[in-house]
Amino acid sequence: SRPSLSLTEIEGKLTLLCDAKTDGSFLVHHFLSFYLKANCKVCFVALFQSFSHYNIVGQKLGVNLTVARERGQLVFLEGLKSAVDVFFQTQEEPHPLQFLREANAGNLKPLFEFVREALKPVDSGEARWTYPVLLVDDLSVLLSLGMGAVAVLDFIHYCRATVCWELKGNMVILVHDSGDVEDEENDILLNGVSHQSHLILRAEGLATGFCRDVHGQLRILWRRPSQPTAQRDQSLTYQYKIQDKSVSFFAKGMSPAVL
Amino acid sequence: VTLSEGARAGIGRELGMLDSLLSLGGLVLLRDSVEWEGRSLLKALVKKSALCGEQVHILGCEVSEEEFREGFDSDINNRLVYHDFFRDPLNWSKTEEALPGGPLGALRAICKRTDPGPVTIALDSLSWLLLHLPCTTLCQALHAVSHQDACPGDSSPVGKVSVLGLLHEELHGPGPVGALSSLAQTEVTLGGTKGQASAHILCRRPRQRPTDQTQWFSILPDFSLDLQEGPSVESQPYSDPHIPPVDPTTHLTFNLHLSKKEREAKDSLILPFQFSSEKQQALLRPRPGQATSHIFYEPDAYDDLDQEDPDDDLDI
């Protein structure tokens, strides 16, 4: 059976997506199309791929990013393009990726202010969108660009205070798990965001290696339940196969290819 | 609202070692992990302090005040003072609302209070403080706070201060964690198995051996502690990791161990019947100056020195 995440259960929540030894970007595409279809206002800090990449995949999942952007539902920060703009165009106000220009960039305040500006409720008289969502793909890129783990954690903290708490919206953040490779900063980042998360979806490659019919397994971990229960079902594990227009989930060992 | 003696004793019995956590005072480290979160236990301990009539201060850096107060009823919430470092801890909004002195300033202000009663301070979280402040500054502040009641020359008797610090183990290296651990009177490490949470409690009482205990528990929706016997699955047949394996060579009357020098001598010894090329050369060519063995014989008075060979009459 498919894991279901009903909308009412997860408002004002931070969901962490992480992948280890596999590509977890299918989760990003899923959440992007999910929230656009749910009529949410989405701010997507897309550092990893280009706009057209997300658009092509989004169309397979039934959403059109160009249209969403034009009607004001989607605010898209295309990291690959705007990183270049920081250097070659004069900006009046601080650019969200301002830290690329600065020798000792201490914090990601400009990026936070971009997010806050993108998702702040607009007094248009009618509520157009259901609730705001911040999507980030992916946070590990910020480490590669020279920010320290604590600075990135502070950025997430401020986003959480504004998006989750103040605006009662959701956040979905992707962080890669470096796994065997010793990357202390990434480990601090991953663990720090994990501790701030309500829900962790972890896509892992299979321990036995690559398989054509089972692409990996997904571990779902619920943290910070608002009502702690005596015996809570903390984590579930499913295996999955990515198809052209969807992802199919099944219990461990129950892939149709195997049965 | 104060509890009757009977009720207070009842709560004490129910909580066992977790109860004495707060009565000891000083710093209590709550070490949690991603898989086993510790904020529920922190809230349960905060609730217990509040029920005992103590004043409770929360330094909230990680969750909003609403979220922290959620689940507590109003008489507990009235006793909690929440110092909000969640909304704008780094003063990015540049408003006047920022609390002066930051979290450490707030901590010192709590301790300068004139009210002599016992106080519990909950740090949510100590990890946040450790990531944003130098470790030495933080340790000095914690030491000053938790040893406040031993301050000489203070005319007003200051009540016992308990500090509950939530520490996310994976975020810090062994150095800072070790420093905090050495400051702590009690360490509670959260863990568990198959949905059942456990707390490993290490207590350092002054002038006594440290004691440790593992307590299985769960937190009820109203944040009261429910102690349990253990996981419902069958107990593991393997030995308790806290008991070291018994060494059978400890109580023998002879020595089975070799010192380093002895071991080296043993390893370099050539066995007598091992024929090596050195031995061959030594036998073929006696080294000059090597003493051949002599037998010195002093005949007694009664000895019969017969020069004849007694074996001569043998016909072989």
Side-chain angles (χ1 to χ4, degrees):
Chain A
S1 64
R2 280 192 81 138
S4 61
L5 304 167
S6 76
L7 273 181
T8 51
E9 282 172 12
I10 51 165
E11 275 183 33
K13 301 288 192 264
L14 167 59
T15 299
L16 169 64
L17 309 174
C18 73
D19 57 8
K21 291 195 178 117
T22 191
D23 182 13
S25 57
F26 70 95
L27 292 167
V28 174
H29 297 297
H30 160 75
F31 278 104
L32 178 60
S33 64
F34 175 78
Y35 283 120
L36 284 176
K37 286 181 195 169
N39 212 29
C40 296
K41 175 97 187 260
V42 177
C43 174
F44 189 3
V45 175
L47 301 171
F48 200 61
Q49 300 278 13
S50 66
F51 177 83
S52 52
H53 173 88
Y54 294 106
N55 201 12
I56 290 169
V57 180
Q59 279 169 9
K60 289 189 189 173
L61 298 175
V63 289
N64 188 323
L65 298 192
T66 313
V67 167
R69 191 163 61 169
E70 276 161 13
R71 58 188 205 135
Q73 187 191 10
L74 173 65
V75 177
F76 195 98
L77 176 65
E78 189 174 0
L80 291 170
K81 200 170 82 149
S82 81
V84 177
D85 289 343
V86 172
F87 293 99
F88 294 115
Q89 288 182 19
T90 52
Q91 308 278 338
E92 285 85 35
E93 63 281 339
H95 188 279
L97 300 180
Q98 187 68 25
F99 66 92
L100 292 172
R101 284 202 74 139
E102 291 163 9
N104 299 317
N107 59 48
L108 288 165
K109 186 166 165 221
L111 187 58
F112 160 67
E113 282 170 350
F114 169 83
V115 169
R116 191 184 55 190
E117 195 59 34
L119 291 177
K120 73 173 184 210
V122 178
D123 290 327
S124 61
E126 36 157 292
R128 277 192 82 183
W129 319 114
T130 46
Y131 55 84
V133 173
L134 169 64
L135 189 55
V136 180
D137 178 21
D138 65 70
L139 222 49
S140 307
V141 171
L142 292 172
L143 289 185
S144 308
L145 292 173
M147 293 308 296
V150 178
V152 182
L153 287 175
D154 288 339
F155 163 70
I156 293 294
H157 177 108
Y158 268 87
C159 288
R160 195 163 53 93
T162 300
V163 177
C164 295
W165 177 68
E166 197 184 318
L167 302 175
K168 304 283 181 283
N170 283 345
M171 283 171 65
V172 179
I173 311 288
L174 177 67
V175 181
H176 295 300
D177 186 351
S178 50
D180 297 330
V181 176
E182 287 227 11
D183 188 345
E184 272 185 37
E185 288 281 288
N186 198 65
D187 287 343
I188 293 174
L189 178 63
L190 178 60
N191 287 319
V193 181
S194 300
H195 276 285
Q196 293 189 44
S197 307
H198 298 90
L199 176 65
I200 302 178
L201 299 179
R202 193 182 155 87
E204 297 168 344
L206 296 176
T208 44
F210 176 75
C211 169
R212 198 185 53 187
D213 295 301
V214 179
H215 291 149
Q217 67 183 22
L218 187 70
R219 272 184 53 205
I220 306 174
L221 178 66
W222 279 274
R223 296 191 79 255
R224 297 174 60 189
S226 57
Q227 290 300 322
T229 54
Q231 192 93 13
R232 52 187 186 213
D233 241 350
Q234 268 190 315
S235 79
L236 290 176
T237 306
Y238 288 93
Q239 290 179 338
Y240 62 86
K241 176 178 179 172
I242 302 174
Q243 290 156 333
D244 189 41
K245 293 191 178 174
S246 68
V247 180
S248 55
F249 293 90
F250 33 85
K252 273 171 123 165
M254 304 290 256
S255 159
V258 170
L259 294 172
Chain B
V1 173
T2 54
L3 297 173
S4 66
E5 286 304 314
R8 205 174 300 175
I11 292 174
R13 259 200 308 277
E14 190 181 278
L15 294 175
M17 199 168 180
L18 282 176
D19 175 38
S20 56
L21 279 185
L22 294 171
S23 60
L24 200 56
L27 174 62
V28 177
L29 270 190
L30 288 182
R31 298 167 69 148
D32 76 348
S33 56
V34 172
E35 215 187 322
W36 298 100
E37 59 90 25
R39 188 166 290 110
S40 309
L41 181 60
L42 178 70
K43 284 174 77 164
L45 293 173
V46 158
K47 173 176 170 163
K48 189 194 166 286
S49 289
L51 284 177
C52 288
E54 290 185 18
Q55 207 190 24
V56 184
H57 292 262
I58 322 282
L59 247 66
C61 311
E62 284 195 356
V63 299
S64 65
E65 183 170 356
E66 271 170 13
E67 189 177 333
F68 196 90
R69 288 184 184 276
E70 196 181 334
F72 289 146
D73 46 9
S74 56
D75 53 342
I76 294 175
N77 268 322
N78 290 338
R79 291 198 167 275
L80 299 190
V81 179
Y82 194 87
H83 304 260
D84 192 341
F85 290 98
F86 167 74
R87 264 183 309 163
D88 191 5
L90 305 174
N91 201 19
W92 281 6
S93 62
K94 296 256 186 300
T95 63
E96 301 306 312
E97 290 174 21
L99 296 165
L104 286 191
L107 197 59
R108 291 185 200 109
I110 295 168
C111 296
K112 284 199 182 68
R113 73 205 188 284
T114 51
D115 177 13
V119 133
T120 296
I121 306 174
L123 302 175
D124 181 12
S125 65
L126 198 44
S127 281
W128 193 95
L129 296 174
L130 195 52
L131 287 177
H132 291 87
L133 298 166
C135 183
T136 47
T137 313
L138 180 61
C139 287
Q140 282 163 0
L142 286 176
H143 182 88
V145 165
S146 45
H147 288 75
Q148 202 200 11
D149 38 312
C151 175
D154 202 30
S155 56
S156 61
V158 176
K160 169 181 67 69
V161 178
S162 300
V163 181
L164 297 170
L166 183 61
L167 191 69
H168 307 309
E169 288 201 297
E170 306 103 330
L171 297 182
H172 313 287
V177 173
L180 288 173
S181 172
S182 66
L183 280 177
Q185 270 66 49
T186 314
E187 276 181 62
V188 181
T189 307
L190 284 128
T193 163
K194 286 186 176 38
Q196 179 68 44
S198 72
H200 177 240
I201 307 162
L202 179 68
C203 248
R204 293 190 193 94
R205 288 192 179 78
R207 292 183 297 280
Q208 284 181 34
R209 277 181 65 223
T211 55
D212 72 326
Q213 184 200 39
T214 300
Q215 177 69 60
W216 299 90
F217 70 97
S218 68
I219 313 260
L220 303 176
D222 67 347
F223 290 101
S224 34
L225 270 176
D226 178 27
L227 301 187
Q228 274 149 14
E229 287 305 314
S232 51
V233 293
E234 61 275 4
S235 58
Q236 293 169 344
Y238 310 112
S239 60
D240 186 352
H242 294 303
I243 303 172
V246 176
D247 184 11
T249 60
T250 39
H251 297 300
L252 297 170
T253 52
F254 50 88
N255 181 21
L256 276 180
H257 302 287
L258 290 173
S259 70
K260 189 161 178 277
K261 275 178 75 172
E262 289 170 321
R263 194 177 294 277
E264 277 171 25
K266 182 183 167 208
D267 288 343
S268 57
L269 181 68
I270 303 172
L271 296 174
F273 301 109
Q274 203 158 358
F275 209 71
S276 60
S277 57
E278 297 99 65
K279 201 146 186 160
Q280 189 180 24
Q281 297 305 315
L283 288 172
L284 291 174
R285 200 176 45 236
R287 278 177 245 150
Q290 183 186 24
T292 56
S293 50
H294 290 276
I295 298 175
F296 296 94
Y297 177 62
E298 288 285 329
D300 282 341
Y302 313 103
D303 265 352
D304 181 17
L305 277 176
D306 192 355
Q307 300 297 337
E308 267 186 17
D309 188 358
D311 293 330
D312 267 358
D313 52 352
L314 287 177
D315 190 16
I316 300 170

